Amino acid sequence: MEISKLKLSGFKSFVEPSTVHIEPGLTGVVGPNGCGKSNLLEAIRWVMGENSPKSMRSGGMEDVIFAGTQSRPQRDFAEVVLNGADDDGDEMEVVRRIERGAGSAYRLNGRDVRAKDVALIFADAATGAHSPALVSQGKIAQVIAARPTERRQMLEEAAGIAGLHVRRRDAESKLRQTETNLERLEDIMAGLDSQIASLRRQAKQAERYRKLSDEIKTAEARLVFARWRDAAAAAEEAKKAAAAAEAKVNETQKAADEAQKAQRSAAEALAEAREEQADRRDDASAHGHRMAALSTQLEAAEQRLADLDRQKARLEADKGDADRLTRDAAEALSKLERGLAESEKALSTDEERRPALERAQEQAERDSRTAELALAKA
Ligand code: ATP
């Protein structure tokens, strides 16, 4: 693998985004103590997937984020971008970013990937965070003092088989998973055996059911045929009945036509009768009015009659009175007649006496005149 560019941002002392171009050939980094040379190497190891804060000279992994100085505030994230080409010459870009409280995230050529994928890529390229190709301060003494197993690890990494180990571990874990699955499968198979026995029983029942179904189908077919035969005979009968019914319908139709004619004439007669009825109704209404008037008149006449009855009673009472008066008058008349007769008698008597009286009167008148003359003379 060839690394061509390293870009750091907020990583340890590289607070501002800084890009280091690594040209072909030998590249040296020089600078005073504490200027950040080792931080560059650690940035390469970090982006390759280093997970031990100790090997990053930190207490925790978030310590790689710029912690701030007296004049600058701390940063919330650190990011390292490594550009390079793999053994096939294909360009690749690996990004690792850490944020306070959120942990690390990796991207490979713009895609989000797992830390394991990144470690595998660098292991396949015979490099990586723990590769002996990256020799940090004190590492030489560490190699000299290393145990055989650690030396073997270094040699394997140098030989480029570290990736194979990672893959072997993956394969072993997959194998263990598969073995567990197989055990579960055997349990399931044991359960399936009893299910198979039950299914065989069910299959026998299904076979019996199928035979019975066939027999039922045959019986049903026979039944359907018998019904069809009966139905055909019934249909024939029905056809005859239909023909008879048709004739009856024709007759009935004729009758219905005649009935319709009769109905029409009846309707006309009914219309006339209705008109007549309307006239009668008008007449009846007029008669009703007249009746009402006559009733009123009758009532008035009855009242009048009652009045006349009352008058008659009064008159009869008056007549009684008049009769009494008449009788009294007759009596008075007879009395008067008697008186008259007596008076006539007296009159005739007086008439008889009249000439004498007239003579006496004439004598009295002469005596009176004589007396008056005598008086006048006196
Ligand atoms: P030497 O030549 O002595 O080995 P060096 O050039 O390798 O020094 P480094 O060890 O890479 O220097 O850098 C150390 C510097 O990085 C120190 O000044 C330290 O303050 C600074 N540093 C480390 N971690 C952080 C951090 N999280 N935030 C800010 N500065 C940091």
Side-chain angles (χ1 to χ4, degrees), residues 10-14 31-40 42 57-58 62-69 137:
F11 185 85
K12 289 206 167 188
S13 55
F14 293 90
N33 287 349
C35 72
K37 303 182 290 290
S38 299
N39 287 350
L40 276 178
E42 280 169 8
R57 297 181 295 164
S58 305
E62 284 185 3
D63 289 347
V64 301
I65 302 171
F66 178 68
T69 60
Q137 278 180 356

Side-chain angles (χ1 to χ4, degrees), residues 322-341:
D323 284 347
R324 269 195 316 278
L325 290 173
T326 306
R327 272 194 306 278
D328 293 347
E331 279 174 18
L333 188 65
S334 66
K335 266 184 199 173
L336 287 171
E337 278 173 350
R338 275 193 310 275
L340 183 63

